[in-house]
Amino acid sequence: MSEQPPATFDREATDGAETAGSTPVTTGATSVIRALEGAGVETCFGVQGGAIMPVYDALYDSSIRHVTMAHEQGAAHAADAYGIVSGDPGVCLATSGPGATNLVTGLADASMDSDPVIALTGQVPTAFVGNDAFQETDTTGLTAPITKTNYFATDSDSVGDTVGEAFAVSGTGRPGPTVVDLPKDVTNGQTERQPGAPRTPSTYDPQTEADEAAVERAARTLERAEKPVILAGGGVIKGDASDALRDFATEYGIPVVTTMPALGAFPEDHELAMEMAGMHGTGYANMAITHCDVMLAVGCRFDDRLTGGVETFAPDAEILHADIDPAEVSKNIEADVALIGDAGTVLEQLDSEMDRTPDIPEWQEQCQTWKAEYPMDYAAPEDRPIRPEFVVEALDEATPEDAIVTTGVGQHQMWACQYWTYRHPRTWVSSHGLGTMGYGLPAAIGAKVAEPDKQVVCFEGDGSFLMTCQELAVAVRENLDITVAVLNNAAVGMVRQWQDAFFEGRHSASQYPWVPAFDKLAEAFGAQGFAVHEYDEVADTVEAALAYDGPSVIDFHIDPGANVYPMVPSGGDNGQFALSEDQL
Amino acid sequence: MSEQGPQQVNRLQGPAPEDRPRPSGRRNSQGIRIDPEVEAEPVPRRTVISALVENEPGVLAKASGLVSRRQFNIESLTVGTTTNPETSRITLVIEEPEPGIRQVEKQLEKLLPVISVQELGENAIQRELVIVKVHGDEPDKVQAVTEMYDGTVLDAGPKTISIEITGDENKIDDAIDAFQQFGIRELARTGQTAIARGDVWTTDVEEERYERMHESWQTTTNND
Ligand SMILES: Cc1ncc(C[n+]2csc(CCOP(=O)(O)OP(=O)(O)O)c2C)c(N)n1
């Protein structure tokens, strides 16, 4: 059990401002905690251990809530989800060596998705560094390629400021994970230095406003476009630009396609919404991006799961690329106009530069025709095993429209993209760039801690769930009201789907001859468990699980042969998406 | 929610791939829209990139790790401090097509300790140093070749002679070729270092930094 004061869901009550600095800074570790408090941190996730113990000791006197996770990977994912949902960097803690290495997957995940995360890792005392001391690893070396930047704390006086800098860097510009490695002598060492306010170093100065000449060129290009689309990426959500995007698209009548990280950036029930494009995107989204003549890409990095083969990506389109990170512009797809700046600011700049609305009634109609031609639909006959799409829709219908969805990685993740209607930013929490199985449950924990009043639904595959299901212990201990829907097909289904399509159905190591009873597993952890085999049990069970006050797990035994379509084969042409296996 | 129908499951509607129109355009492998008139893949170009960086521990590891993990085709990388003891200059010679060169610049610029990055033009002053150790059987001839390349003999013994040559890359390559006749036992090359020619500053913040430093020197001297 946690030794912290009783957890409270009232964020006001845990506001760090009042208590920050209540006990004087005496050691490097207290300075670390003061720095977190000074940055407004209310919650952190972690696992104890030898080298990080001084920091935990200082945390004992702090009002910051600590959620003890079962595994450090869980701590990193929970912090990541907390960051996505709240918009403030999520904090995770781990000890040296195995604690730090267990964080690595979560940090790589956060890095690929530009999520703000700060990891504080314990380290062996400075004098032992490099000697292969007990539980030593080169944490800064290991995490350099998967962090925005990292720090090795050198002394007790400056360690608080270093943590503040890590915080400021993580959350500004293009967000990303940062690590501060904390040798035990540094955290144990004496200091009375109160850390200053978090600030970024002088060499770090992201540009928020795009160059005026570029804005002018972009506006002229958009005005005369005949087939424009907006491609919204995760940067729209990170930059709190969803309202600006909706206003802009609506004012100029331009259809909006989203990338996977951008689900919720534009309301999917909006007339102009073409929803998600890419490998498992909607047919209409992929038709729109393939046939457009001007693409305004905002806050996206043209990942290969989105573009398919670059040779056939938006082949006729002039690309206007807005991004806060200049290195993303012309990295994968050459931009005709580079708009370096913050998503919301650039959209506002463009809006004030636009002199007229593009005249595009035919294109708008064409987009609607594609929606009618390629509806996201499926047949769900009663006498068959349950279709996974049906389960996703059932949960969507039973929850409020601002409910938060988290997922693992695999087919279930794609169905959650396709068959849930996202209407609000920060309601979709998933592992996009790294594709980390097991992301869903710890992410649901982080999301629920960040937004205790919102309903949180986690979709997991049986394979993905098994990778981090031990975090159920945490959900129970913290009494987090989350609902886990396991779409159980007794297989690592996405792999099996590729084997069906590209390996002549040779199911090498993808079918599970046996899977645990996930409802019983849930009960063993102290959560509520349900199992569903028939269509007519779906609605009632969903209702009961959502009504249960605490974590619940529904083991949905779905059609084991169900595959995800549409599909653009890896490196393929988005306009040539397959609707079924025989079109691959 | 979907209608329950009698049809087979998992059949989405709509024209099959072969029945759909295709746009006429194309991009090349670097994502550049191809002008059908001039269809050219960008060719690799050899160039020098200079980065001014904060002199903090690990900065070289960060820069070299970045270059290797992104698979940039790097020819050489050198580093050394500048007039300001708090900064170093990293000089990279790379061979990449145009988009690759721009990526190297932008990715380097993203590293936090990096202050400023600049591609140096063709006429930058470039120098490399090599030490060649040849067999000492024909000292007179070695001396002649050394003079031809403005080299310096660093060490001459009965068995080996070591010579230092400085120059641009072509000169170094030529010199090594010329020493080949004596049998080169070992050699060590430093890699290129470079600086902008004339009164142009090597990277764009250096003038301002120089002036600031100069001012603070003057104030300290005046106070003394
Ligand atoms: C940590 C990790 N290991 C392996 C993979 C490769 N992988 C991608 S999807 C997938 C199948 C996931 O199976 P499951 O969680 O049961 O979901 P389903 O596809 O059946 O819905 C696998 C093995 C991965 N993405 N992450």
Side-chain angles (χ1 to χ4, degrees):
Chain A
M1 275 287 162
S2 160
E3 309 244 323
Q4 293 285 304
T8 164
F9 289 149
D10 183 357
R11 295 179 77 179
E12 297 303 309
T14 55
D15 190 342
E18 259 168 44
T19 39
S22 55
T23 53
V25 172
T26 52
T27 61
T30 49
S31 180
V32 166
I33 297 302
R34 285 300 96 75
L36 292 180
E37 289 166 346
V41 173
E42 294 165 1
T43 307
C44 58
F45 305 85
V47 178
Q48 260 282 21
I52 195 75
M53 280 178 69
V55 177
Y56 271 92
D57 186 63
L59 193 58
Y60 195 74
D61 294 324
S62 170
S63 65
I64 294 176
R65 171 184 179 191
H66 179 266
V67 179
T68 301
M69 301 297 289
H71 186 292
E72 290 86 353
Q73 182 186 351
H77 291 329
D80 175 304
Y82 185 95
I84 294 171
V85 168
S86 70
D88 303 323
V91 180
C92 55
L93 284 83
T95 194
S96 64
T101 57
N102 276 351
L103 283 182
V104 165
T105 302
L107 294 172
D109 190 287
S111 174
M112 291 289 267
D113 291 347
S114 313
D115 295 331
V117 173
I118 291 142
L120 303 180
T121 51
Q123 183 55 278
V124 301
T126 314
F128 289 56
V129 168
N131 293 350
D132 301 328
F134 177 63
Q135 294 196 326
E136 183 192 353
T137 51
D138 174 9
T139 302
T140 49
L142 276 174
T143 58
I146 52 165
T147 49
K148 191 166 167 184
T149 196
N150 63 26
Y151 304 85
F152 184 90
T154 50
D155 61 87
S156 312
D157 283 340
S158 66
V159 65
D161 287 331
T162 305
V163 169
E165 181 175 313
F167 198 91
V169 168
S170 172
T172 55
R174 177 185 183 170
T178 57
V179 171
V180 187
D181 203 25
L182 301 164
K184 203 169 180 177
D185 55 317
V186 170
T187 47
N188 263 336
Q190 299 295 304
T191 182
E192 287 172 8
R193 266 261 318 269
Q194 179 79 22
R199 58 188 194 95
T200 56
S202 60
T203 56
Y204 179 77
D205 186 19
Q207 184 181 330
T208 56
E209 232 175 79
D211 176 62
E212 267 307 324
V215 171
E216 202 187 310
R217 265 186 70 198
R220 299 295 88 79
T221 309
L222 266 182
E223 284 165 7
R224 61 168 166 70
E226 288 168 11
K227 301 186 281 180
V229 295
I230 296 173
L231 175 66
V236 172
I237 295 174
K238 304 262 138 72
D240 287 323
S242 298
D243 289 347
L245 171 67
R246 198 190 46 234
D247 293 350
F248 188 87
T250 315
E251 171 149 11
Y252 301 104
I254 305 173
V256 179
V257 170
T258 60
T259 67
M260 185 162 79
L263 294 181
F266 189 76
E268 291 190 328
D269 51 359
H270 193 289
E271 211 199 342
L272 291 167
M274 304 298 283
E275 302 169 52
M276 180 177 92
M279 181 175 279
H280 289 298
T282 65
Y284 35 100
N286 279 328
M287 290 303 273
I289 59 168
T290 302
H291 290 269
C292 66
D293 66 349
V294 174
M295 175 181 283
L296 172 61
V298 187
C300 78
R301 60 186 181 89
F302 293 110
D303 177 80
D304 56 280
R305 282 292 196 268
L306 169 80
T307 60
V310 291
E311 292 89 349
T312 50
F313 179 76
D316 285 342
E318 283 184 70
I319 308 277
L320 321 174
H321 191 174
D323 205 290
I324 195 144
D325 181 356
E328 286 308 336
V329 177
S330 299
K331 183 183 79 180
N332 296 335
I333 297 291
E334 174 86 359
D336 296 285
V337 180
L339 300 159
I340 311 299
D342 173 67
T345 312
V346 174
L347 282 170
E348 277 158 26
Q349 282 180 285
L350 260 179
D351 181 40
S352 46
E353 182 61 37
M354 293 280 283
D355 288 333
R356 63 181 184 89
T357 304
D359 184 25
I360 50 169
E362 275 172 40
W363 172 243
Q364 287 161 334
E365 202 185 306
Q366 175 65 73
C367 287
Q368 297 305 325
T369 307
W370 281 325
K371 280 197 198 177
E373 261 179 354
Y374 301 106
M376 290 304 290
D377 222 341
Y378 61 96
E382 288 282 357
D383 56 348
R384 290 248 171 183
I386 303 169
R387 292 292 305 187
E389 301 92 332
F390 185 88
V391 174
V392 174
E393 287 184 334
L395 274 146
D396 189 7
E397 269 174 30
T399 48
E401 65 166 60
D402 66 351
I404 295 170
V405 175
T406 77
T407 76
V409 167
Q411 292 179 314
H412 62 281
Q413 177 190 30
M414 294 303 130
W415 289 313
C417 291
Q418 294 176 332
Y419 288 91
W420 188 282
T421 305
Y422 298 91
R423 295 177 176 87
H424 301 283
R426 305 190 189 280
T427 59
W428 163 248
V429 183
S430 192
S431 171
H432 309 107
L434 197 67
T436 310
M437 286 171 72
Y439 178 84
L441 176 58
I445 290 171
K448 187 70 184 178
V449 169
E451 283 287 0
D453 297 332
K454 285 197 180 171
Q455 198 113 52
V456 175
V457 175
C458 165
F459 289 102
E460 277 284 7
D462 42 332
S464 200
F465 188 51
L466 279 174
M467 291 207 175
T468 56
C469 62
Q470 71 276 22
E471 301 298 347
L472 269 177
V474 179
V476 171
R477 188 162 62 215
E478 298 282 330
N479 192 30
L480 300 176
D481 188 6
I482 58 183
T483 306
V484 181
V486 182
L487 301 186
N488 182 352
N489 54 5
V492 280
M494 188 56 97
V495 171
R496 199 222 50 228
Q497 170 164 351
W498 283 50
Q499 288 169 335
D500 286 342
F502 309 115
F503 291 88
E504 292 145 10
R506 289 150 56 89
H507 293 162
S508 179
S510 62
Q511 300 277 28
Y512 292 134
W514 172 88
V515 278
F518 292 113
D519 54 334
K520 300 243 170 59
L521 178 141
E523 279 158 17
F525 276 106
Q528 188 75 12
F530 303 89
V532 173
H533 296 265
E534 307 290 336
Y535 272 107
D536 57 15
E537 300 163 345
V538 173
D540 288 350
T541 312
V542 162
E543 199 181 313
L546 291 172
Y548 178 73
D549 182 18
S552 55
V553 177
I554 317 176
D555 187 3
F556 287 103
H557 292 261
I558 60 160
D559 181 351
N563 281 343
V564 185
Y565 287 98
M567 177 180 191
V568 179
S570 188
D573 177 342
N574 282 326
Q576 309 278 285
F577 52 86
L579 296 163
S580 62
E581 202 174 304
D582 47 286
Q583 291 181 347
L584 281 170
Chain B
M1 219 167 272
S2 157
E3 291 287 295
Q4 292 162 19
Q7 75 266 48
Q8 274 304 106
V9 291
N10 207 16
R11 266 303 160 122
L12 298 171
Q13 304 299 310
E18 61 273 18
D19 303 329
R20 296 173 211 152
R22 277 269 327 140
S24 56
R26 219 155 58 73
R27 290 178 189 277
N28 68 16
S29 59
Q30 274 135 1
I32 300 172
R33 207 148 44 102
I34 291 175
D35 178 349
E37 310 285 292
V38 278
E39 181 165 327
E41 290 274 329
V43 283
R45 169 163 80 76
R46 202 181 166 85
T47 193
V48 184
I49 299 216
S50 183
L52 192 70
V53 304
E54 305 263 6
N55 233 348
E56 62 181 50
V59 59
L60 185 60
K62 280 181 183 170
S64 61
L66 170 91
V67 170
S68 66
R69 77 172 169 274
R70 290 195 180 263
Q71 306 250 308
F72 294 126
N73 197 358
I74 186 168
E75 304 289 317
S76 80
L77 183 152
T78 61
V79 63
T81 49
T82 64
T83 47
N84 181 344
E86 283 165 16
T87 60
S88 286
R89 184 183 309 285
I90 295 180
T91 308
L92 289 144
V93 179
I94 53 167
E95 189 163 342
E96 282 283 331
E98 194 58 28
I101 295 169
R102 297 284 87 82
Q103 266 298 305
V104 172
E105 281 182 338
K106 291 192 232 175
Q107 293 291 345
L108 270 176
E109 200 121 36
K110 275 175 73 166
L111 296 177
L112 247 52
V114 171
I115 300 162
S116 178
V117 180
Q118 190 79 43
E119 183 189 354
L120 298 182
E122 293 253 305
N123 78 341
I125 304 172
Q126 295 181 42
R127 279 296 175 271
E128 183 174 5
L129 182 151
V130 66
I131 302 173
V132 264
K133 184 182 286 178
V134 298
H135 295 287
D137 314 326
E138 300 169 286
D140 295 350
K141 276 192 179 173
V142 170
Q143 181 63 34
V145 175
T146 303
E147 274 167 24
M148 229 165 78
Y149 287 96
D150 296 325
T152 313
V153 174
L154 302 175
D155 173 57
K159 292 207 168 128
T160 63
I161 306 173
S162 297
I163 305 105
E164 171 200 317
I165 311 278
T166 340
D168 66 14
E169 202 183 10
N170 287 338
K171 178 178 164 189
I172 303 280
D173 286 345
D174 291 351
I176 290 171
D177 275 352
F179 281 110
Q180 222 54 281
Q181 56 180 306
F182 311 114
I184 298 177
R185 269 178 54 143
E186 287 177 292
L187 67 75
R189 292 178 76 149
T190 59
Q192 302 276 314
T193 190
I195 205 159
R197 190 175 293 274
D199 68 351
V200 179
W201 292 89
T202 298
T203 72
D204 60 9
V205 296
E206 295 194 44
E207 177 167 20
E208 183 216 332
R209 293 178 74 88
Y210 172 83
E211 270 161 15
R212 233 188 309 130
M213 216 170 65
H214 214 72
E215 254 167 48
S216 71
W217 279 342
Q218 274 170 340
T219 27
T220 36
T221 337
N222 291 347
N223 288 349
D224 282 348

